[in-house]
Amino acid sequence: MSEAAGRSRFVEASLARYKEITMARLLDYLPSKEPRRYLYDLLPVYPLRSGKGLRPALCIAACCAFGGEVRRVLESAVAIELYHNAFLIHDDIEDGSEHRRGQPTLQADQGLAVALNVGDAMQALCIRLLLNNLAIVGPQLTWRIVNEIEHMVCQTVEGQALELGWVRDNVANLSEEDYLRMVLKKTCWYTCMHPLRIGALVASGGAVAPERFDRFGYYMGAAFQIQDDILNLDADEGKYGKEINGDIWEGKRTLMLIHAAGRCDEDEKQRIRRFLALPRGAREQAEVAWVRATMDKYDSIAHARSCARQLAGAALHEFDLIFGALPDSEHKRFLRQVVLYMIERDL
């Protein structure tokens, strides 16, 4: 077995264990009351699909790596997972997506209004989970966790606002630095940085400075997002569960699109701009294929892969600074191995 294959098996087995813990608590927590058909029976739909549960896994692993107990961090990890699924529902609505994890999106299945309300309900239910921490970790640490979550949510919606605004206003002169700034806000804070920070805060009783995880979480989160964007173009559609080239159809300003637009000739730039100016429903398959071919022409996917590898390398350096002195454990091993797994995964 190759090193990458062994790493994949270990990380996926670890993710499955963390997810089992998270889902057991999440499903136990969700209300079982009326209105079921239009709300409460729909809350577990996205969580029960085949997502990896990365965010609660990072939160639990960071806590345990620093010597903490799962029971003390579980409410926070479940709250992060609920926020994630609420973001996914709203993201699918905002992007007009038709598939999520191989099945129809919630708004495609239930209608936009019902789906929007389910996402709102998930966010509301997170409040009680966070308040449960009062009896588990005490008021001071609960307050710090709430502040972490508040910052996480604000950063995420600001990043989403940038991406949506670029699409709406047909902003086409973006740099790679613009992309990475958007990814920091939209992806890194809530996918990696805050889960790690909260896990370590709980384990240490607030003694660990959460800022020490920011560089590690940023590099790892940016590598994760770039690989996610690459998979949207190159994944096996049967495994991927979403529309291949969907980001092109939606006009998303991915690293590959920005790279290609920055290297093509003026005629090609204008053609890309005209394509991006169209609403999704007016875009044609031939033009989507041309945009994809232009990315291939300028090796934009290879460039993105190179960037993801560099970011992963930087994350591993930061890992050694943060976790190197901690006792060896399966949780510590997971946090190291997941960095390379993020850029090697095929779904």
Side-chain angles (χ1 to χ4, degrees):
M1 182 187 299
S2 70
E3 183 179 350
R7 179 165 44 245
S8 178
R9 286 185 62 179
F10 170 74
V11 170
E12 289 180 358
S14 299
L15 285 168
R17 287 194 295 272
Y18 293 126
K19 184 174 180 180
E20 183 179 5
I21 295 167
T22 303
M23 287 301 299
R25 175 60 185 132
L26 187 152
L27 294 175
D28 181 64
Y29 171 70
L30 292 179
S32 178
K33 60 180 182 178
E34 295 297 336
R36 296 176 184 273
R37 179 181 176 187
Y38 305 116
L39 180 60
Y40 291 114
D41 284 352
L42 301 177
L43 291 175
V45 168
Y46 272 26
L48 285 172
R49 293 186 185 180
S50 56
K52 297 184 182 302
L54 173 64
R55 294 153 189 85
L58 291 176
C59 188
I60 294 169
C63 180
C64 293
F66 275 88
E69 301 174 78
V70 173
R71 68 175 185 83
R72 290 174 62 81
V73 80
L74 189 55
E75 302 295 284
S76 302
V78 173
I80 290 169
E81 181 66 4
L82 270 180
Y83 268 116
H84 169 56
N85 281 277
F87 289 148
L88 290 182
I89 292 170
H90 290 163
D91 195 53
D92 287 343
I93 292 169
E94 290 158 356
D95 293 341
S97 300
E98 297 177 356
H99 294 91
R100 167 68 62 184
R101 296 171 181 163
Q103 299 179 51
T105 55
L106 199 60
Q107 81 269 14
D109 185 50
Q110 297 290 328
L112 187 149
V114 169
L116 182 63
N117 193 56
V118 171
D120 292 344
M122 283 184 172
Q123 293 181 329
L125 287 167
C126 291
I127 298 171
R128 173 53 53 191
L129 278 169
L130 297 174
L131 290 176
N132 288 346
N133 279 324
L134 288 167
I136 301 170
V137 300
Q140 291 187 340
L141 198 50
T142 295
W143 179 244
R144 294 188 69 178
I145 293 168
V146 169
N147 273 279
E148 291 285 315
I149 295 290
E150 185 271 340
H151 184 263
M152 178 192 83
V153 173
C154 287
Q155 290 295 314
T156 304
V157 297
E158 287 174 9
Q160 182 75 342
L162 285 174
E163 185 168 66
L164 293 171
W166 291 344
V167 171
R168 189 196 69 182
D169 294 344
N170 195 24
V171 178
N173 58 340
L174 294 166
S175 66
E176 294 187 4
E177 290 74 18
D178 293 320
Y179 170 83
L180 290 171
R181 190 175 303 110
M182 180 272 292
V183 165
L184 166 64
K185 286 182 168 291
K186 180 184 175 182
T187 301
C188 300
W189 279 111
Y190 103 94
T191 298
C192 300
M193 294 162 73
H194 277 300
L196 291 165
R197 287 165 59 119
I198 291 170
L201 278 172
V202 171
S204 68
V208 171
E211 295 78 15
R212 68 187 292 191
F213 300 93
D214 289 354
R215 292 170 69 89
F216 174 56
Y218 165 67
Y219 294 139
M220 180 165 54
F224 170 87
Q225 184 61 61
I226 292 170
Q227 179 67 8
D228 220 42
D229 293 345
I230 292 170
L231 288 173
N232 187 266
L233 303 176
D234 260 9
D236 179 326
E237 191 164 10
K239 288 184 178 181
Y240 186 54
K242 290 191 286 187
E243 180 184 25
I244 298 299
N245 292 330
D247 287 348
I248 299 177
W249 280 102
E250 292 165 13
K252 287 192 174 181
R253 274 54 173 175
T254 62
L255 186 62
M256 291 78 74
L257 182 66
I258 291 169
H259 179 268
R263 281 151 184 79
C264 60
D265 62 38
E266 191 57 37
D267 287 344
E268 290 169 324
K269 278 187 175 64
Q270 291 304 315
R271 187 171 176 181
I272 290 173
R273 183 181 286 274
R274 288 194 301 271
F275 170 80
L276 294 174
L278 296 170
R280 172 173 175 145
R283 292 172 183 150
E284 297 181 356
Q285 176 63 50
E287 287 299 288
V288 171
W290 177 83
V291 172
R292 170 58 196 274
T294 304
M295 291 179 182
D296 293 337
K297 176 180 177 180
Y298 293 101
D299 293 324
S300 298
I301 297 175
H303 171 72
R305 285 201 174 97
S306 176
C307 290
R309 285 195 298 270
Q310 292 176 50
L311 288 161
L316 289 175
H317 174 73
E318 293 297 325
F319 172 88
D320 290 336
L321 296 177
I322 299 167
F323 297 95
L326 296 180
D328 289 337
S329 68
E330 292 292 289
H331 306 289
K332 177 180 172 181
R333 183 184 171 201
F334 166 75
L335 289 169
R336 192 179 201 285
Q337 296 292 326
V338 77
V339 174
L340 291 177
Y341 170 81
M342 283 185 178
I343 62 169
E344 295 168 346
R345 63 195 171 92
D346 59 2
L347 71 156

